[in-house]
């Protein structure tokens, strides 16, 4: 099938500069959301809270991003998308600054909730914006470029945050990200063209999509299980390595970079395989993710074993992440922005719940328990994908979730 978001053909150079600005937006949103992953130990010590409580910084932003996005996207459906994106970036910049200066933990959590609303709306509109500002034949490539911001964030952003924290402190880290958010705000204002809203629908129509579209409904359940498992484990990878492998801050930074590089490679490889089978790419990637988690639990007590496990985990995550976006696009090509708002709701809510449940396991069972939590939930996602999608139902597109390659 062909799933495109048609738009008039703008200047190629200007369009790609706009795509670069949107990719930079994804970078600052994602690194802000997941920055606490690399800073859990110093955050908990500085604020005099438990590691599990520090993980609630991820939970708070994820809850807001997930639960608020379908309403916010629908309520802003007549707002120019460039104006909306610059507003979201302004909220992010102010939120990072408040976090850096906050005198107490409750204010930090409240601020993360506000930033979460902005983050959720970005995830719903960002990819479709990029697809609209380049010539139509390059729409899928633009989507892939924007999604590469995930790999850039994990390769450079989150590890860089841990390096800055080690040298200066976590408050400086969030202060620098406030400045980066301002720079990206300026880039979007200058490089992204005015863009009237398209493809957005009312709140009632948004929530009726999975009722009417069985294929989309299945994709959303698959995303829920996968994200719960992945982020339940990944949020606590630093304390896990410190506890089981006696890892130093420098080693944690290194393996986070390795994980991110693996994600970039997995994203690149998946870009060439999703055109043949999104379902097959997702299944292969999720099986690899499970293998990485099991390796981390069995041989991750040594540094070499931890590196091997994180490489496989990162490679697989990159492939799964790109696949689930294509699965959503293939399931609802005519209402992609609305479908992505539901995807974002499921994804970010489960980031939050994964961090919450993982924190409860860490505090009450032990840090190693989060790996088994990840294994169980990722297995559920894999089994659901294996059990569905081979034969089209009456309301589904052709079988095997074929979507256009973003490469």
């Amino acid at each position: 099938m062909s799933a495109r978001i048609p738009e008039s053909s703008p200047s190629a150079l200007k369009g790609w500069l706009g795509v670069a600005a949107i990719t930079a937006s994804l970078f600052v949103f994602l690194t802000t959301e997941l920055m606490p992953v690399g800073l859990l130990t110093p955050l908990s010590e500085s604020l005099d809270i438990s590691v599990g409580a520090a993980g609630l910084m991820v939970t708070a932003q994820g809850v807001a991003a997930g639960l608020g996005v379908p309403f916010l996207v629908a309520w802003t459906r007549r707002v120019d998308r460039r104006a909306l994106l610059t507003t979201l970036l302004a909220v992010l910049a102010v939120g990072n600054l408040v976090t850096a200066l906050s005198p107490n933990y409750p204010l930090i959590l409240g601020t993360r909730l506000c930033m979460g609303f902005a983050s959720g709306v970005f995830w719903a509109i960002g990819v479709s914006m990029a697809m609209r500002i380049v010539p139509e034949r390059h729409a899928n490539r633009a989507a892939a470029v924007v999604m590469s911001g995930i790999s850039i964030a994990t390769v450079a952003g989150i590890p860089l945050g841990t390096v800055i924290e080690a040298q200066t402190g976590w408050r400086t880290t969030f202060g620098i990200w406030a400045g980066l958010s301002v720079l990206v705000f300026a880039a979007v204002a200058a490089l992204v063209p005015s863009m009237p809203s398209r493809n957005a629908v009312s709140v009632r129509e948004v929530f009726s999509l999975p009722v009417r579209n069985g294929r989309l409904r299945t994709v959303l359940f698959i995303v829920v299980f996968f994200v719960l498992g992945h982020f339940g484990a990944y949020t606590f990878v630093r304390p896990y390595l410190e506890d089981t492998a006696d890892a130093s801050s420098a080693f944690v930074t290194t393996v986070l970079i390795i994980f991110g590089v693996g994600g970039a490679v997995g994203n690149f490889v998946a870009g060439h395989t999703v055109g043949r089978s999104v379902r097959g790419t997702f299944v292969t990637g999720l099986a690899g993710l499970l293998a990485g988690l099991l390796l981390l639990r069995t041989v991750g007590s040594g540094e070499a074993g931890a590196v091997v496990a994180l490489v496989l985990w990162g490679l697989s995550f990159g492939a799964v992440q790109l696949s689930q976006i294509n699965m959503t696009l293939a399931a609802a090509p005519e209402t992609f922005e609305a479908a992505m708002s539901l995807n974002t709701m499921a994804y970010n809510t489960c980031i939050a719940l994964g961090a919450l449940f993982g924190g409860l396991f860490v505090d009450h069972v032990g840090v190693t328990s989060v790996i088994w939590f990840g294994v169980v939930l990722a297995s559920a996602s894999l089994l659901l994908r294996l059990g569905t999608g081979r034969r089209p139902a009456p309301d589904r597109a052709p079988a095997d979730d074929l979507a256009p390659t973003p490469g």
Side-chain angles (χ1 to χ4, degrees), residues 124-330:
I125 68 173
V127 173
S128 63
M129 287 178 66
M131 295 175 75
R132 290 173 57 186
I133 61 178
V134 297
E136 184 178 333
R137 66 185 182 278
H138 296 312
N140 297 312
R141 183 169 308 215
V145 169
V146 171
M147 294 306 295
S148 72
I150 295 173
S151 300
I152 296 170
T154 50
V155 169
I158 296 172
L160 179 60
T162 64
V163 171
I164 295 172
E165 184 280 326
Q167 299 299 318
T168 61
W170 63 267
R171 293 184 184 276
T172 301
T173 302
F174 284 103
I176 290 173
W177 251 252
L180 288 176
S181 301
V182 171
L183 291 177
V184 176
F185 170 95
V188 168
L191 299 173
V192 175
S194 177
M195 195 177 302
S197 172
R198 304 182 75 181
N199 206 267
V201 297
S202 68
V203 173
R204 178 178 296 179
E205 291 174 291
V206 169
F207 284 104
S208 70
L209 279 177
V211 176
R212 294 183 286 106
N213 187 333
R215 193 177 181 203
L216 177 61
R217 185 168 61 248
T218 298
V219 169
L220 292 175
F221 277 114
I222 290 169
V223 168
V224 163
F225 291 130
F226 148 64
V227 178
L228 277 174
H230 169 77
F231 282 100
Y234 181 70
T235 300
F236 298 94
V237 69
R238 175 171 181 163
Y240 178 85
L241 292 173
E242 289 173 337
D243 184 74
T244 61
D246 196 25
S248 65
S249 176
F251 180 75
V252 171
T253 300
T254 300
V255 295
L256 288 176
I257 293 173
I258 289 171
F259 180 92
V261 171
V265 174
N267 183 81
F268 176 80
V269 172
H272 293 277
T273 62
V274 291
R276 291 191 291 273
S277 174
V278 175
R279 183 177 183 275
T281 302
F282 182 87
V283 167
T284 302
L286 198 50
L289 189 150
L290 279 166
L293 286 171
L294 291 171
L295 279 175
L296 187 62
R297 187 65 194 95
T298 55
V299 301
S301 57
E303 291 189 351
V307 169
V308 171
L310 267 293
V311 167
L312 180 57
W313 189 357
L315 280 167
S316 303
F317 175 72
V320 171
Q321 174 65 20
L322 184 59
S323 298
Q324 65 93 11
I325 294 292
N326 273 263
M327 285 159 58
T328 304
L329 174 60

